[in-house]
Amino acid sequence: MAGLRVIMSVVREKLEAVLNVALRVPSIMVLEMLYRWDVSSFLQQIQARNNNNLLFQYKYLALNLHYVGYIISLVLLTLPRQHLVQLYLYVLTALLLCAGHQISRDFVRSEIEFGHDGPVYEEPLSLNRFTTALIGQLVVCTLCSFVMKTKQIWLFSAHLLPLLARFCMVPVEMLVIINKFAMIFTGLEVLYFLASNLLVPYKLAKSAYRELVQVVEVYGLLALGMSLWNQLVVPVLFMVFWLVLFALQIYSYFSTRDHPTSRERLLFLFLTSIAECCSTPYSLLGLMFTVSFITLGVLTLCKFYLQGYGAFMNDNLMHRGMTEGITLLILAVQTGLIELQVVHRAFLLSIILFIVVASILQSMLEIADPIVLALGASRNKSLWKHFRAVSLCLFLLVFPAYMAYMISQFFQMDFWLLIIISSSVLTSLQVLGTLFIYILFMVEEFSKEPMENLDDVIYYVNGTYRLLEFLVALCVVAYGVAETILGEWTWMGSSIIFVHSYFNVWLRAQLGWKSFLLRRDAANKINSLPTATKEQLEEHNDICSICYQDMHSAVITPCSHFFHSACLKKWLYVQETCPLCHQQLKSPVQQVGATPVQGTGEQLPHNERRAEQELAGQKDGPLGNASDLGRGSEDGPGEHNADGQTALNTDCSSRGDPGTGQHPSAQNGTIAGKVEFPHPAELSEDEDQQLSLIQESFNKHCMEVSSAHGSELNEAESPHNLP
């Protein structure tokens, strides 16, 4: 029973949402017709047809009624749902009463034509007409009573008087008078109802004004606008309005055509129908929201194809389809689409739709690119996932090129078409770059040694595409500025050029230059660091703390930590500190005069120096080079932002366990770098006591680490225990 109630509640909510949209669509349809209706030309046509000046005298009255229609439509559009439903019920009741009187009028007319004055039951045809009219009138009365929620059915029974008079054998000539009396009586009832509810609109307006003032005072105008937007469901409302308009346009075309239409004719019909349905601001907004919802559906299918149901866990706000819809609206306003003739509008609209399709393909690539690269860099062996990612990339590689070819075949080349073709070609080139990087990741996955310069290759591939994209955006801005200076200047065109220049040129240039400077500074710092010799690497006997891979070559930081040069370079893109101890990596000039950490007057080995730091309470670095990898949450690279960590593990994460990031040797319970101390026999008595204190402090710290990290260090705990 409870489940049935839940189902009924959900169905009721869905029905209310549908009614909230469907009942407001007629208001927008009325606004559309009022915008298209030219009152002046209409009055002139009627004046020329009737050849009198009566309508011309009431021209201004007709114009005022035209504006009143606008106001009434806007009021109906913003009415609350419950009042809107009640209004439609009143309109439905009025239509039912009109239908009842129409039935009575048809019955009276048929009786006069037949001319039978005798009893109804004596003539079969007369009895049949009477029975049919009586059943229709009873249905009308019942429906009116049900809609108005009243049991006083006699209030809606005035149109039954002609039938009752005919049953009582009233002369047929009197039925006309009785029918007119019934119509007058119904009209008086309607007037009485309107007079009794005359103050209802005023009360509603007063209540709405009071609520609006309260909302503005408490929350502000922005909150009021968002509330109205959500209450009216503006995107869905305009989309449904445009789809209804488009369906009516298609129906009107096919209803007047008897012969079948060819495929080329269907394409032209499709474009011209869309052009007919964007001739007003209301229909243009409807087309914008329709394109947005279509784009959202395509991008959702793309996400679902790549990731299944897990794609909806972290939704990207930039992939909601609004970008494509706003692009269409901006281009339509900039080119004056609604002011053109139908044929020219269809041609221009086809170009705008090509731009929108190019934007959709770019959004699909933005969704697919990180997923493809993540699959290439991970150890995911699901062939189905790899097939879906690669197949979508191949589609994004082929379809933009095919679209560019079709555009060049059907349209004469100009600057805007060149921009579309350039965008399509850039999308294909970016897909090629993504597939190239994916192949490099897969090659590195199956090879025994990591690729040292993989990060540089990725940077050059992405940088080439970004440079071409920047050049295309710069050409668009240059063309727009030239058109503005040499052609017709408009505020809208100038504003669009300014926005395009800031977001697509200036910000891209800043981002690219900043990335170049970061890479240059990181490369200079890496080149200034000393390279570890073979003997130092053998003595160090550890793995890189960033990528967890063996080190056949490494650089040494001023704090005596060893890293792969490529790994440390990627770390320096994010921060200018050591990944382990967070000491500033200064240039060699700044290192002049600096002294290493010393113990008893001379430089201690790395293990002793680290243990002495722990004894002194300095916990700003790891215990060793790689022995403390499990403490990443405390003082390793893992405490920095996710973007930096992702950048660091781009070309090395495939070598370890993707879940834990551990090196295979760490998974077997041992870590390459072990803590070693001199034998006690080699030390003096004072040094032996000092070493005992160091060992005791070091063992205590290892026990704290083990209890804090639990199972992560259980296997690696034995190397830390000192004799």
Side-chain angles (χ1 to χ4, degrees):
M1 195 67 180
L4 182 61
R5 291 177 181 174
V6 173
I7 294 175
M8 294 299 295
S9 176
V10 172
V11 171
R12 182 178 179 180
E13 291 179 359
K14 297 294 183 182
L15 183 60
E16 289 178 353
V18 171
L19 288 176
N20 188 36
V21 174
L23 296 181
R24 301 183 192 277
V25 171
S27 300
I28 308 181
M29 297 292 291
V30 173
L31 290 173
E32 175 81 7
M33 290 186 293
L34 290 174
Y35 189 90
R36 293 189 181 188
W37 184 32
D38 190 355
V39 180
S40 300
S41 61
F42 176 74
L43 292 176
Q44 290 176 2
Q45 291 176 2
I46 295 181
Q47 180 185 1
R49 184 179 305 172
N50 295 333
N51 200 14
N52 56 35
N53 295 326
L54 181 62
L55 291 175
F56 182 75
Q57 295 175 358
Y58 293 97
K59 176 181 178 180
Y60 295 103
L61 178 60
L63 290 175
N64 291 331
L65 291 177
H66 183 257
Y67 296 130
V68 168
Y70 270 109
I71 296 174
I72 294 176
S73 299
L74 291 175
V75 170
L76 295 179
L77 183 63
T78 56
L79 270 181
R81 185 180 61 249
Q82 59 272 20
H83 296 291
L84 194 61
V85 170
Q86 192 66 34
L87 179 62
Y88 273 97
L89 291 178
Y90 292 155
V91 173
L92 179 60
T93 304
L95 293 176
L96 288 173
L97 291 176
C98 292
H101 283 288
Q102 185 63 36
I103 293 173
S104 297
R105 184 182 301 175
D106 294 339
F107 173 75
V108 171
R109 186 183 298 110
S110 61
E111 287 296 319
I112 292 175
E113 291 177 357
F114 189 72
H116 177 68
D117 292 335
V120 176
Y121 53 84
E122 290 182 355
E123 182 64 35
L125 293 177
S126 180
L127 180 61
N128 188 21
R129 290 193 298 271
F130 180 82
T131 304
T132 304
L134 181 61
I135 293 174
Q137 297 288 18
L138 291 177
V139 170
V140 169
C141 293
T142 305
L143 289 176
C144 290
S145 177
F146 175 76
V147 170
M148 297 300 294
K149 298 180 181 180
T150 179
K151 295 181 180 180
Q152 299 176 354
I153 195 172
W154 59 270
L155 293 173
F156 315 102
S157 304
H159 42 76
L160 285 171
L161 290 177
L163 296 176
L164 183 60
R166 181 67 184 91
F167 184 77
C168 296
M169 293 184 296
V170 174
V172 177
E173 293 78 8
M174 294 295 296
L175 294 179
V176 178
I177 300 175
I178 295 174
N179 187 42
K180 291 182 178 180
F181 174 77
M183 293 178 63
I184 294 173
F185 183 77
T186 303
L188 291 176
E189 285 184 326
V190 172
L191 290 176
Y192 174 77
F193 176 79
L194 293 176
S196 61
N197 293 277
L198 188 62
L199 297 178
V200 171
Y202 170 74
K203 294 179 180 179
L204 286 176
K206 184 178 180 180
S207 176
Y209 175 77
R210 188 184 301 113
E211 292 181 2
L212 291 178
V213 170
Q214 292 178 355
V215 171
V216 171
E217 290 179 353
V218 177
Y219 301 103
L221 287 174
L222 181 60
L224 175 62
M226 294 298 296
S227 177
L228 289 176
W229 182 277
N230 295 328
Q231 180 183 355
L232 300 179
V233 201
V234 174
V236 180
L237 177 61
F238 275 90
M239 182 195 67
V240 173
F241 154 70
W242 191 87
L243 291 177
V244 170
L245 202 64
F246 182 73
L248 292 176
Q249 184 68 28
I250 295 294
Y251 174 76
S252 64
Y253 176 83
F254 283 104
S255 61
T256 56
R257 296 291 187 276
D258 297 331
H259 53 84
T261 307
S262 61
R263 186 178 64 179
E264 292 79 8
R265 185 67 180 176
L266 284 176
L267 180 60
F268 180 75
L269 168 65
F270 179 76
L271 290 176
T272 53
S273 299
I274 296 178
E276 285 282 357
C277 296
C278 59
S279 58
T280 64
Y282 311 106
S283 55
L284 186 60
L285 286 176
L287 179 61
M288 181 194 75
F289 287 115
T290 303
V291 169
S292 299
F293 277 102
I294 292 175
T295 304
L296 177 61
V298 172
L299 298 182
T300 303
L301 287 177
C302 176
K303 295 177 185 178
F304 182 77
Y305 179 72
L306 288 174
Q307 295 180 298
Y309 292 101
F312 308 107
M313 299 298 181
N314 298 319
D315 195 11
N316 191 347
L317 294 178
M318 296 303 294
H319 298 147
R320 295 290 182 84
M322 289 303 298
T323 303
E324 287 72 17
I326 294 175
T327 300
L328 183 142
L329 180 64
I330 291 175
L331 292 175
V333 173
Q334 185 180 11
T335 55
L337 182 68
I338 62 177
E339 300 174 358
L340 301 177
Q341 298 295 328
V342 176
V343 178
H344 297 86
R345 194 186 307 150
F347 176 78
L348 182 59
L349 190 61
S350 62
I351 299 177
I352 294 175
L353 290 179
F354 272 121
I355 297 176
V356 171
V357 172
S359 178
I360 294 175
L361 294 174
Q362 184 64 34
S363 298
M364 292 175 65
L365 180 58
E366 291 175 0
I367 294 173
D369 184 74
I371 297 174
V372 173
L373 296 182
L375 286 174
S378 66
R379 283 191 168 185
N380 195 315
K381 296 182 179 181
S382 176
L383 294 179
W384 175 236
K385 289 185 178 180
H386 286 269
F387 171 78
R388 288 184 296 181
V390 173
S391 61
L392 182 61
C393 286
L394 292 178
F395 169 78
L396 294 176
L397 174 64
V398 174
F399 186 78
Y402 174 76
M403 187 176 70
Y405 171 76
M406 296 300 295
I407 291 174
S408 62
Q409 292 294 320
F410 283 97
F411 298 98
Q412 184 179 0
M413 186 61 62
D414 60 359
F415 184 80
W416 287 106
L417 293 180
L418 182 62
I419 293 300
I420 301 174
I421 294 176
S422 302
S423 177
S424 301
V425 172
L426 285 176
T427 302
S428 298
L429 290 177
Q430 188 177 4
V431 174
L432 277 177
T434 300
L435 289 176
F436 181 71
I437 296 172
Y438 169 79
I439 293 173
L440 291 179
F441 281 156
M442 297 303 296
V443 170
E444 187 195 30
E445 175 68 25
F446 290 103
S447 62
K448 296 182 179 180
E449 298 294 335
M451 300 177 63
E452 294 291 339
N453 298 325
L454 181 60
D455 180 68
D456 293 332
V457 173
I458 295 174
Y459 177 77
Y460 293 142
V461 171
N462 292 330
T464 302
Y465 166 75
R466 298 300 178 187
L467 179 61
L468 293 175
E469 190 178 34
F470 173 77
L471 292 177
V472 171
L474 192 62
C475 291
V476 172
V477 171
Y479 177 80
V481 172
E483 286 291 322
T484 302
I485 296 175
L486 302 178
E488 183 178 357
W489 184 87
T490 59
W491 280 105
M492 179 61 67
S494 302
S495 302
I496 292 174
I497 291 174
F498 175 78
V499 173
H500 188 72
S501 302
Y502 179 75
F503 287 100
N504 292 337
V505 176
W506 175 249
L507 291 184
R508 285 180 180 177
Q510 277 190 327
L511 184 62
W513 183 249
K514 183 179 180 181
S515 176
F516 171 76
L517 292 180
L518 286 175
R519 294 187 66 87
R520 187 187 65 178
D521 294 343
N524 292 335
K525 289 182 179 179
I526 293 298
N527 294 331
S528 66
L529 296 177
T531 304
T533 63
K534 185 176 181 181
E535 292 76 12
Q536 288 176 318
L537 290 175
E538 292 178 354
E539 181 182 359
H540 183 67
N541 190 23
D542 208 338
I543 61 176
C544 177
S545 301
I546 297 176
C547 66
Y548 305 159
Q549 306 299 315
D550 295 328
M551 288 189 291
H552 301 289
S553 64
V555 294
I556 307 175
T557 62
C559 49
S560 302
H561 290 139
F562 289 65
F563 302 98
H564 286 134
S565 60
C567 298
L568 186 59
K569 183 192 295 185
K570 287 183 286 186
W571 172 263
L572 293 177
Y573 298 159
V574 183
Q575 293 196 21
E576 297 181 355
T577 59
C578 175
L580 290 176
C581 64
H582 310 311
Q583 179 179 338
Q584 288 288 334
L585 298 181
K586 301 177 182 179
S587 61
V589 178
Q590 295 172 319
Q591 293 292 329
V592 176
T595 58
V597 180
Q598 296 183 354
T600 60
E602 61 182 7
Q603 184 175 0
L604 297 176
H606 175 72
N607 294 327
E608 295 185 27
R609 183 174 68 253
R610 184 64 189 132
E612 185 175 349
Q613 290 177 359
E614 291 297 331
L615 181 62
Q618 300 175 359
K619 297 184 179 181
D620 57 347
L623 295 177
N625 288 339
S627 304
D628 200 33
L629 293 178
R631 299 182 56 210
S633 61
E634 178 179 346
D635 49 20
E639 72 175 10
H640 299 283
N641 54 52
D643 295 336
Q645 188 63 32
T646 304
L648 291 172
N649 295 331
T650 302
D651 62 345
C652 300
S653 60
S654 61
R655 291 295 178 179
D657 187 356
T660 62
Q662 290 183 337
H663 189 266
S665 63
Q667 297 177 4
N668 296 329
T670 61
I671 301 179
K674 296 183 180 180
V675 180
E676 297 180 358
F677 287 88
H679 195 274
E682 302 176 0
L683 303 175
S684 62
E685 183 178 357
D686 295 337
E687 292 175 340
D688 191 7
Q689 294 178 357
Q690 181 181 7
L691 180 60
S692 300
L693 292 176
I694 294 174
Q695 292 173 347
E696 181 181 357
S697 174
F698 190 57
N699 285 331
K700 181 179 178 181
H701 180 77
C702 291
M703 293 177 63
E704 293 177 356
V705 171
S706 177
S707 61
H709 293 278
S711 59
E712 297 182 5
L713 292 179
N714 284 337
E715 298 181 358
E717 187 178 0
S718 57
H720 296 286
N721 295 330
L722 301 177

